[in-house]
Amino acid sequence: MQISKYSASGNDFAIFVSLVSQNRSELARKICDRFYGIGADGLIVILPDSKNDFKWEFYNSDGSFAAMCGNGSRAACMFAYENGLAKRNMKFLSGAGVISGEICALENKTAAVEIELTNAKELAKSFNESSHEWYFYDTGVPHLVSFVSDVSEFDLDLARAMREKYNANVNFAQIYKDKVLVRTYERGVEDETKACGTGMAACFYAGLVHKNLGNQIFYPKSGEKIEFKFKDDKIYFKGDVKHTFDAVFYE
């Protein structure tokens, strides 16, 4: 089967097209395996949709299904545009609802892609636990957010414990001058990743509500620049997506 690989802010995804929707959990584990497969944080299957440009199935690297992935959405938009499945402005159906995307620029297999996320939802009032104040939002999938003084002191054990207790991704964010630094522990990957789009979106929204942040530049662990803005009660974020390679995977 023909598969393409895309990287969005350090999150990497294997993507292919199918006409049939089915459970591909086992296939996702095989493809995402970094030793015996292609290696990826997630698998995206692009499918036809009667009301939108396309719809997707999204799987984490452990084979679990995810309703939404911010960086995966940007990668899917670039894939759809490059393969003639959508124009520069597009909409696709995710498990969290309809996502709008725009290819803002494309050159040498790298595109600046902006997406509009579904409305953020507060899942719980802020609370204190393990010497941290936590905010809990759903930006397509659930995220815990804690603002810290130094993200370099990332507590992997605490992140894993909070993920298991609340069944949510866990984010530590540092407001540093005119930017925000974020590190994320992702469920489904069950480890820290280079970046998480919905995680940064949750940090952005929590910052808007609780820290008087405005439109902001974010940097995940990968160090790549991500632009966030809030307009008409919607969260938009833009960053580069790279088409890294195409391959044939022998299932």
Side-chain angles (χ1 to χ4, degrees):
M1 56 195 303
Q2 186 75 28
I3 295 180
S4 296
K5 182 77 175 289
Y6 287 74
S7 177
S9 306
N11 266 157
D12 56 344
F13 306 95
I15 309 177
F16 69 89
V17 175
S18 177
L19 299 177
V20 180
S21 179
Q22 63 186 58
N23 188 327
R24 293 183 167 91
S25 292
E26 183 178 354
L27 178 62
R29 288 192 292 271
K30 291 179 179 179
I31 289 175
C32 293
D33 189 290
R34 296 191 182 276
F35 300 99
Y36 297 102
I38 290 174
D41 289 326
L43 171 66
I44 298 171
V45 184
I46 304 294
L47 297 151
D49 186 71
S50 60
K51 296 181 180 180
N52 301 283
D53 293 290
F54 61 94
K55 63 181 178 181
W56 80 359
E57 294 171 351
F58 184 92
Y59 299 89
N60 294 309
S61 61
D62 68 353
S64 60
F65 172 80
M68 178 57 186
C69 174
N71 287 327
S73 294
R74 294 192 295 114
C77 288
M78 183 178 176
F79 174 91
Y81 180 71
E82 285 194 307
N83 286 275
L85 303 176
K87 297 181 179 179
R88 284 184 178 268
N89 289 282
M90 66 191 79
K91 292 185 177 182
F92 76 92
L93 181 63
S94 74
V98 176
I99 303 298
S100 298
E102 179 183 358
I103 308 300
C104 302
L106 175 61
E107 183 177 1
N108 297 327
K109 294 297 182 181
T110 298
V113 184
E114 182 174 68
I115 65 165
E116 173 194 319
L117 292 172
T118 53
N119 290 338
K121 302 174 184 176
E122 186 178 53
L123 298 178
K125 297 296 182 182
S126 61
F127 61 94
N128 287 288
E129 187 169 333
S130 300
S131 302
H132 286 264
E133 183 175 19
W134 297 96
Y135 306 102
F136 201 4
Y137 288 99
D138 188 319
T139 48
V141 289
H143 282 275
L144 287 163
V145 174
S146 180
F147 289 93
V148 297
S149 59
D150 187 355
V151 290
S152 67
E153 299 176 2
F154 184 80
D155 191 332
L156 184 62
D157 291 334
L158 174 59
R160 183 177 292 114
M162 295 296 289
R163 175 266 182 269
E164 292 175 354
K165 182 175 181 178
Y166 293 96
N167 191 27
N169 302 278
V170 181
N171 305 270
F172 296 94
Q174 176 188 353
I175 300 172
Y176 180 74
K177 296 181 179 179
D178 59 346
K179 58 190 176 185
V180 180
L181 312 178
V182 177
R183 295 178 67 175
T184 302
Y185 183 97
E186 286 198 63
R187 64 180 189 176
V189 179
E190 304 308 333
D191 203 348
E192 183 182 9
T193 54
K194 294 289 188 182
C196 177
T198 53
M200 286 183 286
C203 295
F204 172 58
Y205 192 75
L208 284 174
V209 175
H210 301 282
K211 302 294 182 181
N212 296 316
L213 284 183
N215 294 341
Q216 202 75 37
I217 302 298
F218 275 67
Y219 288 92
K221 186 180 180 182
S222 67
E224 296 191 31
K225 177 182 175 181
I226 305 291
E227 300 176 43
F228 276 88
K229 66 181 181 182
F230 192 66
K231 180 180 177 181
D232 299 327
D233 295 325
K234 298 284 187 179
I235 297 173
Y236 295 81
F237 81 104
K238 182 171 70 174
D240 285 347
V241 179
K242 298 176 183 178
H243 182 175
T244 55
F245 67 84
D246 300 300
V248 176
F249 181 78
Y250 299 104
E251 186 177 350

